[in-house]
Amino acid sequence: MTDPLHTPHDRAAIPLAPSLDPSLIDAHMPTRLPLLGTRVLRIGALAILLGLVVGGIAKGLTMLIGLITNLAFHQTWSTAFGRPTGHHLGAWVIVVPAFGGLVVGAMARWGSRAIRGHGIPEAMEQVLTNESRIPARMTWLKPLSSAVAIGTGGPFGAEGPIIATGGALGSLLGQRLPVTADERKTLLAAGAAAGMAAIFSAPVSAVLLSIELLLFERRARSMLPVALAAATGTGVRFALEGPGPVFPMPALAAVAPQALIVYALLGVVMGVAGVFITRLAYAVEDAFEKLPIHWMWWPALGGIVVGAVGYVMPETLGVGYENITAVISGHLGLMAMAWLAAAKLLSWSVALGSGTSGGTLAPLFTVGGALGGVCGLALAAWPPLHVDPNMAALIGMAALFAGASRALMTSAVFVFETTMQPHALLPLLAACTTAYLVSGLMMRHTIMTEKIARRGVHVPTDFGVVP
């Protein structure tokens, strides 16, 4: 007997919820899912090429930073990715970041003002207002200015400049070839993802960062090329640097239920800290705006503060990836982490507010990890909570960035990929979610969007249906 509810025609397309039909029609949803089309193959091939090129640029940028660092602080000619610590400059170390700031200020004035800042907001603005068109000169001005700023002691990571450079290179490729504005945006995001993946060996979080902060959508025709570029960039890093986590640490144990609750509450604390840090960074920037001197000189003034802090605490100078490893591995005590968090925050906020060139991810991870480690050591005094200070440091890293940027999934997955700690995934997700929630309730814009929102640019926060 034939079932009247299951005719051959109905079996081809049975509505799961008939009440949704009017909504689907209003949203212009297609009745049949379209094929991807051959243009996705073309953009994907270009994305792979971008990944190869940007992966090589990432290696070149780290070598350039190493060269400038070794020349400025150790007077040696070497491209090894060295540290500013261990120098013999004494109080003269204060002058080094100021000189770097002076060079960056001159490059910004007579090269391009767009090199100022950490790069991601500027890329977002071009996506939202200029059809993803970034000037060609940014492909060399941004990495060069950032290498000078970081190599002379600027408290930034190398990831921000290479993300901006990769995005600029993708945009340039999209301007030179006959592609649509959407495809140019995809190439921009692909270049940025390849840059982040090549620096951190974090391909999945690089894709998520592009979705959450650059693409403002999740469609196969844009996500697939970005994923190909991120995978290629990571492959280049593996070939040049070898596999393995960027921030190695001792293995973490599974999380007890009561500890999971504590880590979720720690996310609340980090969400509040993310709001505070965002407001602090822009308050410093506003203070520089009121100075009665040309903005070209601001990075040099900020460099004096960076040098003074670095004279007292040399660990704040430069990229500082080794600080992150020390924090999450339990190599620092409570007071050492507290001082590191305070000093790095002061140095970074002044440097960023002065308009120099550098990234935000590594400084926020350093500050967040140190704050989380401090909380973890304090809470470990109560054994029934089963809090692991190293896990708390990981939570602090991710949750602070989630609260400041609201890149929720990027934050959680990034810390997992860079440490390879599977037991951390659940508490990371819980803490990043609570941090995002607190940030969203307390702050309208984020550290990534406040600058462009002040210029009248509307930044979408939710994904909608794309016809």
Side-chain angles (χ1 to χ4, degrees):
M1 180 177 178
T2 303
D3 186 350
L5 296 178
H6 291 82
T7 65
H9 175 72
D10 289 334
R11 281 197 295 269
I14 298 177
L16 296 177
S19 60
L20 289 177
D21 286 352
S23 299
L24 295 177
I25 293 172
D26 292 340
H28 306 289
M29 291 291 290
T31 57
R32 292 178 180 271
L33 294 177
L35 295 174
L36 285 175
T38 57
R39 289 193 68 86
V40 175
L41 295 177
R42 180 189 179 194
I43 301 301
L46 292 173
I48 293 174
L49 177 62
L50 267 176
L52 291 171
V53 174
V54 174
I57 292 175
K59 177 62 176 179
L61 178 62
T62 56
M63 292 176 64
L64 181 58
I65 292 173
L67 176 62
I68 297 174
T69 300
N70 289 315
L71 286 174
F73 290 95
H74 306 295
Q75 296 76 56
T76 59
W77 185 272
S78 172
T79 58
F81 201 54
R83 301 168 56 183
T85 54
H87 61 80
H88 302 286
L89 298 177
W92 284 103
V93 72
I94 299 173
V95 179
V96 177
F99 177 76
L102 185 63
V103 174
V104 172
M107 293 179 68
R109 181 170 184 179
W110 288 293
S112 174
R113 189 170 180 174
I115 66 172
R116 305 172 72 223
H118 47 100
I120 295 179
E122 290 75 18
M124 294 171 70
E125 185 174 16
Q126 297 305 313
V127 168
L128 294 170
T129 65
N130 196 30
E131 296 187 333
S132 305
R133 299 178 186 274
I134 298 177
R137 60 182 178 274
M138 290 298 293
T139 58
W140 63 271
L141 273 175
K142 185 63 178 179
L144 182 58
S145 62
S146 299
V148 171
I150 298 170
T152 54
F156 304 107
E159 69 288 334
I162 194 58
I163 289 173
T165 302
L169 192 61
S171 172
L172 178 62
L173 187 62
Q175 293 175 64
R176 295 291 186 265
L177 297 175
V179 299
T180 66
D182 276 347
E183 290 169 338
R184 190 182 307 115
K185 178 177 69 171
T186 298
L187 290 173
L188 185 155
M196 179 174 175
I199 290 291
F200 286 125
S201 296
V204 179
S205 54
V207 174
L208 292 172
L209 180 78
S210 295
I211 292 173
E212 292 184 306
L213 297 182
L214 293 172
L215 288 173
F216 306 109
E217 65 179 17
R218 196 192 69 81
R219 292 187 292 180
R221 64 189 185 189
S222 56
M223 188 172 66
L224 292 178
V226 171
L228 288 171
T232 305
T234 305
V236 172
R237 178 182 171 85
F238 280 6
L240 297 176
E241 304 286 346
V246 176
F247 304 127
M249 63 179 295
L252 296 172
V255 178
Q258 57 267 45
L260 181 61
I261 297 174
V262 175
Y263 295 141
L265 294 176
L266 181 58
V268 173
V269 176
M270 291 300 156
V272 175
V275 173
F276 168 77
I277 288 173
T278 300
R279 291 176 175 170
L280 173 65
Y282 283 100
V284 172
E285 185 174 312
D286 292 339
F288 273 99
E289 293 279 357
K290 297 176 182 177
L291 293 178
I293 58 175
H294 194 278
W295 54 261
M296 167 188 166
W297 305 102
W298 299 351
L301 294 179
I304 295 175
V305 176
V306 170
V309 175
Y311 176 64
V312 177
M313 193 167 191
E315 292 80 4
T316 61
L317 295 170
V319 172
Y321 292 152
E322 67 282 350
N323 295 330
I324 297 175
T325 301
V327 165
I328 63 178
S329 299
H331 295 161
L332 300 180
L334 190 147
M335 289 306 300
M337 286 191 290
W339 278 111
L340 175 63
K344 189 73 173 184
L345 178 59
L346 172 61
S347 179
W348 168 78
S349 60
V350 172
L352 186 68
S354 71
T356 193
S357 182
T360 58
L361 275 72
L364 288 179
F365 290 139
T366 302
V367 174
L371 288 177
V374 168
C375 294
L377 285 176
L379 293 170
W382 285 272
L385 296 179
H386 296 283
V387 171
D388 184 342
N390 293 354
M391 180 72 82
L394 280 188
I395 297 298
M397 279 177 60
L400 182 66
F401 187 71
S405 69
R406 294 194 202 136
L408 189 156
M409 298 307 298
T410 300
S411 304
V413 175
F414 174 86
V415 171
F416 164 70
E417 286 190 296
T418 53
T419 60
M420 291 300 173
Q421 298 292 332
H423 291 304
L425 271 174
L426 178 59
L428 282 171
L429 181 61
C432 288
T433 302
T434 55
Y436 186 110
L437 178 63
V438 169
S439 173
L441 292 173
M442 295 181 63
M443 183 170 61
R444 184 180 300 274
H445 302 293
T446 72
I447 198 166
M448 302 296 182
T449 62
E450 176 69 26
K451 179 180 294 186
I452 59 178
R454 292 181 177 187
R455 299 172 186 161
V457 178
H458 171 69
V459 181
T461 56
D462 299 304
F463 297 154
V465 176
V466 180

